[in-house]
Amino acid sequence: MAGITNSAPSAAPPAAGVGTPGGGSYLGPLMTVTMLFFMWGFITCMNDILIPKLQQVFTLQNWQAMLIQTAFFGAYFIVSFLYFTVSVTKGDPILRIGYKNGIIVGLVVTALGCLLFLPAADLHSYGLFLGALFVLASGITVLQITANPYVSILGPPESSSSRMNLTQALNSFGTTIAPIIGGYLIFDQVSGAGEVTAESVKMPYVGLAITLIVIAVIIKLARLPRLTGDSTTVVAGSGALRHRHLVLGIICIFMYVGGEVAVGSMLINYLKLPQIAGLDESGAKHFLSFYWGGAMIGRFFGAVALAQLRSNSLKYVIMAVIAAVTFGAVFALYDLSQALIILGLITVNFGVLLLGRFIPNRTVGLYATAVLVLLLIGTFGQGSVAMWAVIAVGLFNSVMFPTIFDLAIKGLGVHTSQGSSLLVMAIVGGAIVPPLQGVFADLTGDVQLSFLVPLLCYLYIVYYGFVGYRTRALS
C-alpha cells in the first residue's frame, strides 16, 4: 500500500504501489491478530442468544427483538461512515496512528460496551441494552477496519484470500461456541426461575470485557510489524469509489452479512416451529452452533483450498483430516446420526468447492447458488430435511465474507484502508435485513416463509461471484 512503511527487518520489498510484507516471518503476528477475529465472532453470535432472551424479558414482537441486530450492525455503518469522512478530508486515521494502536482502541471501546450491560440489566431498560450494543459494536467496527486489511497486507498478495479465510475460520470458531456457552449461561443457569429477568446476561458480558482488556494488553506488548505511514500521503477525496469492483463489493458485503445474520437470528424461532423440529430455546442452541460451526469448517477448507501449497493432493489430505476431526467431534459431543449428517453436508460442500476449481470468485458464486437451493428447501420443506437445509447454509456461507472482502480491495493501493472502511460500513446489512425478515414474519404470521427475504440477498452474491468481481475503474 503506498504511503505505508514496514519496519520489520525481514520484510520483502513491496510490490509496486502496494506495501505488502514478505511471507514466513509474519506467522507469529498473524496468529496474534487471529485472537481478535475469534473474539468479535463470539460477541457477534451472542446476539442470537440475546434476541430470544430479551424477547422474553421485555415481551417483544419479532421486529422489536431484531432491533438488537439493528443497534449492533447500525454502529458498523455510522462509525465506518465517520471514518470514511475523516479519511477523505483529513487523511487516513489508521495510517496516522498505526494498525497496532487502532486495534487497541477497538478493544477498549468494545470492552466498555460490554460493561454497559450491567446498568442496562439493573435498570431493566431495553433502550440501554441497545445503547450498550451500539457502543460494543463501535469498537468491533474499529477492529474490522483495522484487522481485515492488516491480514490482507501481512504476507504475499497471492495468498491473501487464504489468510483471510484462515482468520475468519477463527472468527467462526467464536460464533460456534458462543451459542453453547452463552446459551448455558443465559438460559440454562436460570431455568426454573419464577420471574424472567435480564440478570443472567450480566456475568457473560463482564467476562467478555475482562477478556478484551487482557487481549489489549497482549497486543500492546506484542511485537507486531509496524505498518504505518504519513496519512497526508493519502489523496483527499473518495478515490476508492472509482473502482467498480469495490462499489459492487460494498453492495455484496451488505447482502451477505444481511442474509447470514438474518438466517442465524431467526434460526432458533425457526427450530421451535412444530412442522420443523418443535424445540425449545435450550434444545435449539446446539443446532445454532452447527450453523455457525459450518462456517468455521468451510473457512478452514477455504484457507487450505486457496493457499499456495505444493500440490492439490496435499490440499485434499488436509481437508480430509479436517472433515475427520469434525466428524469425531460431533460424534463425541452428540451422536452418530448427527455426525453422519454433518459429514454428508461437508462432502457436498467439498464437491461444490471442487467445481469452483479453487478460484476465489467462482467459489463464491457457486456457494451462493448452493445457499439459494438450501433456503428454498428450508422455506417450503418440513421436518428434518428443512431443518438441516437451513443449518447447512452456514457451511456454504463460510468463504463468502473473507473472499468477497479480499476481491473488493484488490488493486486499491493507497486507498485500501478507505475501501476497507466502506466495506465495513456495508456490514450494516446485518442491521437492516433481519428486521425486514422480522416484519415479513409478523405480517404473514409465517416464520418459515420469511426466509425468502435472505434468499434475495444471495441472488446478488451469485451475480458478484460470477460477474461483479471483475476489476475495472468507473468512468
Side-chain angles (χ1 to χ4, degrees):
M1 185 188 304
I4 294 180
T5 59
N6 181 1
S7 62
S10 60
V18 181
T20 305
S25 61
Y26 296 114
L27 178 61
L30 181 63
M31 298 310 295
T32 301
V33 174
T34 56
M35 289 190 298
L36 308 175
F37 289 80
F38 169 82
M39 286 305 301
W40 81 54
F42 188 99
I43 292 170
T44 300
C45 197
M46 285 290 288
N47 291 351
D48 294 339
I49 301 299
L50 275 180
I51 287 171
K53 176 62 180 180
L54 297 186
Q55 196 167 14
Q56 291 177 357
V57 172
F58 296 101
T59 316
L60 305 172
Q61 295 185 41
N62 284 317
W63 74 266
Q64 292 173 313
M66 288 299 186
L67 290 177
I68 289 173
Q69 302 292 26
T70 301
F72 189 89
F73 290 99
Y76 279 67
F77 177 83
I78 294 173
V79 174
S80 296
F81 178 77
L82 292 173
Y83 183 97
F84 176 75
T85 302
V86 171
S87 72
V88 300
T89 57
K90 305 293 184 182
D92 197 313
I94 295 300
L95 295 186
R96 189 182 299 277
I97 68 174
Y99 285 88
K100 181 174 180 177
N101 289 330
I103 288 170
I104 293 171
V105 169
L107 286 166
V108 171
V109 174
T110 306
L112 175 62
C114 290
L115 291 175
L116 288 176
F117 274 67
L118 291 173
D122 290 338
L123 296 174
H124 194 73
S125 169
Y126 185 54
L128 192 50
F129 270 114
L130 296 179
L133 283 164
F134 184 89
V135 174
L136 185 157
S138 296
I140 293 180
T141 303
V142 176
L143 291 176
Q144 290 265 20
I145 293 172
T146 307
N148 279 304
Y150 186 80
V151 169
S152 183
I153 294 166
L154 199 63
E158 61 270 16
S159 59
S160 58
S161 290
S162 176
R163 289 193 302 279
M164 291 288 283
N165 273 282
L166 177 61
T167 52
Q168 288 292 335
L170 272 296
N171 174 275
S172 296
F173 179 58
T175 63
T176 302
I177 66 173
I180 299 172
I181 297 175
Y184 173 76
L185 293 174
I186 292 176
F187 283 117
D188 295 356
Q189 287 292 83
V190 295
S191 58
E195 182 183 2
V196 179
T197 70
E199 285 295 309
S200 61
V201 307
K202 292 164 67 173
M203 184 178 72
Y205 281 89
V206 170
L208 286 171
I210 294 171
T211 304
L212 290 166
I213 295 299
V214 170
I215 293 176
V217 172
I218 293 172
I219 295 291
K220 180 67 176 177
L221 298 176
R223 298 185 61 185
L224 300 181
R226 188 169 179 268
L227 302 172
T228 60
D230 180 2
S231 62
T232 60
T233 63
V234 179
V235 179
S238 55
L241 289 174
R242 297 173 189 157
H243 298 268
R244 177 179 178 274
H245 71 289
L246 172 66
V247 175
L248 296 178
I250 292 167
I251 300 171
C252 196
I253 289 291
F254 177 96
M255 294 295 185
Y256 166 71
V257 176
E260 178 192 46
V261 174
V263 173
S265 298
M266 195 64 78
L267 187 57
I268 287 180
N269 286 335
Y270 178 79
L271 296 177
K272 290 165 64 178
L273 297 174
Q275 73 269 28
I276 301 300
L279 300 171
D280 59 15
E281 288 88 353
S282 181
K285 68 178 186 292
H286 89 264
F287 289 105
L288 183 61
S289 291
F290 285 158
Y291 174 76
W292 293 110
M296 175 185 67
I297 299 305
R299 283 169 178 167
F300 277 124
F301 273 13
V304 174
L306 301 175
Q308 302 297 310
L309 299 181
R310 292 189 303 272
S311 67
N312 285 339
S313 297
L314 180 58
K315 292 181 179 182
Y316 300 150
V317 169
I318 295 174
M319 285 188 277
V321 170
I322 294 171
V325 170
T326 303
F327 174 83
V330 175
F331 175 64
L333 293 172
Y334 301 106
D335 57 49
L336 179 60
S337 63
Q338 293 187 37
L340 289 172
I341 291 172
I342 294 295
L343 185 61
L345 293 175
I346 288 175
T347 303
V348 174
N349 180 267
F350 179 69
V352 178
L353 186 61
L354 289 180
L355 287 176
R357 296 184 297 184
F358 306 144
I359 301 171
N361 67 282
R362 182 183 172 93
T363 302
V364 167
L366 288 172
Y367 271 32
T369 301
V371 171
L372 292 179
V373 175
L374 292 169
L375 285 177
L376 286 172
I377 295 172
T379 301
F380 298 105
Q382 290 188 356
S384 60
V385 172
M387 179 187 78
W388 283 107
V390 174
I391 291 170
V393 168
L395 186 62
F396 288 91
N397 275 337
S398 55
V399 305
M400 289 189 194
F401 183 88
T403 308
I404 294 167
F405 201 104
D406 190 61
L407 289 169
I409 62 175
K410 289 287 188 187
L412 296 190
V414 72
H415 298 295
T416 299
S417 292
Q418 188 182 93
S420 175
S421 70
L422 290 167
L423 289 166
V424 173
M425 190 189 306
I427 293 175
V428 73
I432 296 174
V433 178
L436 289 177
Q437 185 177 3
V439 169
F440 190 97
D442 288 332
L443 290 177
T444 62
D446 193 332
V447 169
Q448 190 172 2
L449 196 61
S450 72
F451 280 87
L452 289 175
V453 174
L455 184 146
L456 295 176
C457 296
Y458 288 96
L459 276 173
Y460 180 86
I461 300 172
V462 172
Y463 160 75
Y464 188 78
F466 290 124
V467 179
Y469 76 96
R470 293 170 183 159
T471 305
R472 62 187 151 186
L474 292 170
S475 56

